[in-house]
Amino acid sequence: MSARDFAKRYLFTVLRTGFRLTPMPGTTRDRLRQRFLDRHADLLPQGPRGQSVEVSQAEHRPRSQAAGRAIGFVPRRSGTLPTPLPATVVAFYLPQFHPIPENDAWWGEGFTEWHNVTRALPQFEGHVQPRLPGELGFYDLRLADTMRRQMQLAHEYGIGAFCSYFYWFAGKTLLETPLQQWLADPALDLPLCLCWANENWSRRWDGRADDILIGQQHSPADDLAFIEHVSRYLADPRYLRVDGKPLLLVYRPGLLPDPKATAARWREWCRANGVGEIQLAYVQSFDRVDPRTIGFDTAVEFPPNNTTSAPITARQHLLNPDYRGDVHDWCELARQSMAQPEPAYPRYPGVNPGWDNEPRRSGGGRVFAHASPRGYRDWLRYAVGVAQRRFPAQPLVFVNAWNEWAEGAVLEPDSRLGHAWLEATRTALQPMPAVDTRPCAVIHVWYPELMDELVTALRASGIDWRIVITTAHEREQSVRERMAQLGLDAEIDVFENRGRDILPFLHVANRLLDEGVTTVLKLHGKRSTHRQDGETWRRELLDKLLAPERAARIAAAFRDDATLGLVHAEGHLQPLDYYWGANQANVDYLTCRLGIAAPQVEHDNFIAGSMFWLRPAALRLLLDAHLEVAEFEAEAGQLDGTLAHAIERVFSLSASAGGFSTLSAAGLLGLAEAAPGTYPYARRSG
C-alpha cells in the first residue's frame, strides 16, 4: 500500500469514527498526528478558498460501533420448540474458518475467512462493518469443540441440519477437516448434507475465470471419483435424508458439461455400491431450470442470488466517496420472495437473514440494508408454510446461511444483536403468539418523587395496567423504595443514563412488540428544569392522555382499530419545520436507516413532549433499524439536536410509513380542538 493510499485509508477511518482532526496541543500522539495530517493536507476536506477545514464531531458523529450492542440485542436463553418441528430448517454452512496450506500460499500465512471479516470498513452511515462474532468468538474449525458448540446452538434454536459446502477439484479436496471430524465423532449429532461448490476458486471470490487459484476439471471419470469420495458421508446414519435417500446438492450444475449424464452416473454408482437411491438437488444461485430436465430431483431457493431489485445506493450518506458498490433493500428482497409464484417443478423454499459481502470486496460490496431478525422471522414462517404445502411428507426450508460472516449472511451470535437471529428462527417454528390487549404503561423515572403523581393518575384511570418502569442505575434504589411506599407492582428495567427517556423506551418497546402487546402509554417524569413551566407541561399531557373519562375510550380504540398507531394530546402535535435546524441531519440519517422517505418538512408534524399512546407495531420500522446504543449521546443536559430528539421527530413518520394512523386524543373522542396557535412549551428555531 502506498503512503498516499494509507493516508486516504487513515483519514477515511478518522472521518467514519467521528474523531476531531484538530489536535490537542502538547501531547506526543497529537503532535505526530498533526505532522501526519499536515503532510497529507491535500486529502482533507477543502474550504471555499482551498484551506483545510476542521471535521467536527457534529458533522461526522460516529454512526455505528461495530462491536457495540444495539436495540434488539438478545442474550442466549432457554426456550421451547414444538414436537415435531413443523419443518426441517437446513442452514448452509461454510468451513472456511481454519488455515490450510493452499490459503497460506494464496492469501498469506494463517489466512481464514476471519481475515476478510475484520478488515471491512463502513462505506456509508449506518453500514455496520466490521460485523464481529459474539458467543462463539473468532473460532477455529480444526477444534472439534467448535463444531460441537455450533451444533448445540443449532439444536437449541430449531436448526435441523447443516448443509456444508464441499470443495472438490479433480481429486483434491480443500477445507475438509471439519467434515472429517464430524464423520469421526458420533457425538457431533446434528445431521449434515453436502453441497458441492463446483466452481473455480479465483481471487475475485466469485468463481469466475479471472485469476484462477484452483480450477475444476469436470469429466465422466471425475464424476465417479467424486461420488466415491463423498459416499462415506452419504452412508453415515446421521446424514440428512429425504424419504430415506441421502440428499446431495450441487451449487452450479450449469458448469457441468452434461449434468444429466453426471446425475445418471452418480445414481448408478450409488445403487451398485450400497448407498442406494439418492436425492439430487441444485442451488438456484446462478441456474434456474426445472431440475427434472437435468436429471435432478429438486431445486433449492437461494436468496439473494438470482434476484433483482432496484438499488438504493443514491439514498445513502457515503463515508467513502470512492464507494463503487451497490446497496439494495433487504425488505424488498423478502417481499419479492414471498410474492413470487411457486414454480411448476419441485423446489425447496429458501430464506436469507441478510447480505453484505463488503468484507470480500473492499469498497465494492453488494449490501442489502434494513435486514432484521423480525423480518427474517416472518419470511421463515412463510417459507415453512410453503414447504408444508409443497412437501407435506418431509418439509425442508434452507437458510442462507449459518456462518457466511464475510457475506453478511449469519445466524450465529454476533456482538451487536447477540442471539437475535437464532431467537427469530425458534420463534418462526412456534405457533403465532397470542395478542396481549392489556394496556401497558411504560414510565421513565429520573425524578423518583414524581412517581406519586404518575401512579395516582394511572390508578384513577380505571384501567388494569401492566406497568414497566425504566430508570438509570444511579436512580434504581430510590425508585424501588418509592415503589414500596406506593405499594406498586411493576417491572423495572435499568439502563445507562443515555438517550433520556427515548432509548430506554425503545428497548422496552422492542420487547413488548415481541410479546404481542398492542397498547402502550408512554409516560415519563417530565420536569424540564430549564423551563419555568415544566410542571404545567407534564400535567397538561397527563390530563389529556390519562383523564378517567378519556383513558378507557382510547384503550378501546386500540383494541377495535388495528390501524391505529399513535394517539397524542391535542395541541401537542407540532410542525416539523418549527424545530428543524438542530435536528435535520439526524432525522435525515434516521429516515435513511429506517428505509422510509425523507419528511416533507413544511407539512409533516411530530409529537412534542414524548408522551403518547401507541401500538408497538407502529414503531416496527424504527425498532428494526437496531440503532446502536453508542449512537446516543451521553447525557450532558442537551436541550436539542441529539439523536433522542431526532427520534421524537421520527415516531409518527415511522408509524405512517408502516401504514398506521396518528390521531389526537380529542379527535379520537370526538371532542372540539382549539385552533393551532403558538406552542407555549418550546421556542421555534430560527
Side-chain angles (χ1 to χ4, degrees), residues 97 114 117 131-133 139 352-355 376 399-414 421-422:
F97 295 95
W114 295 124
V117 170
R131 183 175 178 184
L132 303 176
Y139 52 75
N352 162 252
W355 186 268
Y376 156 73
V399 179
N400 179 26
W402 172 265
N403 63 339
E404 282 280 10
W405 284 93
E407 293 185 339
V410 181
L411 292 181
E412 287 181 331
D414 65 23
W421 301 96
L422 288 170

Side-chain angles (χ1 to χ4, degrees), residues 221-240:
D222 188 57
D223 289 344
L224 294 174
F226 168 82
I227 197 66
E228 181 178 4
H229 184 89
V230 301
S231 63
R232 55 185 177 153
Y233 295 103
L234 305 182
D236 191 281
R238 293 165 294 168
Y239 194 89
L240 181 63

Side-chain angles (χ1 to χ4, degrees), residues 558-637:
F558 275 93
R559 287 196 302 270
D560 297 340
D561 182 0
T563 67
L564 181 59
L566 298 170
V567 173
H568 61 86
E570 66 269 22
H572 294 267
L573 189 71
Q574 293 299 296
L576 203 57
D577 64 343
Y578 279 20
Y579 317 99
W580 186 235
N583 298 294
Q584 179 176 355
N586 279 334
V587 172
D588 190 30
Y589 164 69
L590 285 170
T591 55
C592 188
R593 278 289 297 268
L594 272 59
I596 65 178
Q600 299 181 37
V601 182
E602 300 81 6
H603 305 289
D604 286 326
N605 304 296
F606 76 100
I607 301 172
S610 70
M611 294 195 206
F612 46 82
W613 291 77
L614 74 140
R615 184 182 305 276
L619 301 185
R620 176 167 167 171
L621 291 175
L622 175 59
L623 298 173
D624 282 356
H626 299 295
L627 298 170
E628 293 78 18
V629 171
E631 294 188 69
F632 290 79
E633 298 84 351
E635 181 57 39

Side-chain angles (χ1 to χ4, degrees), residues 106 200-203 207-216:
W106 294 328
N200 299 325
W201 270 20
S202 72
R203 290 199 179 275
R208 298 184 182 180
D210 347 18
D211 200 359
I212 293 177
L213 301 173
I214 184 171
Q216 297 288 346

Side-chain angles (χ1 to χ4, degrees), residues 104 149 283 297 354 635:
D104 287 350
R149 293 173 68 199
V283 176
D297 298 295
E635 181 57 39

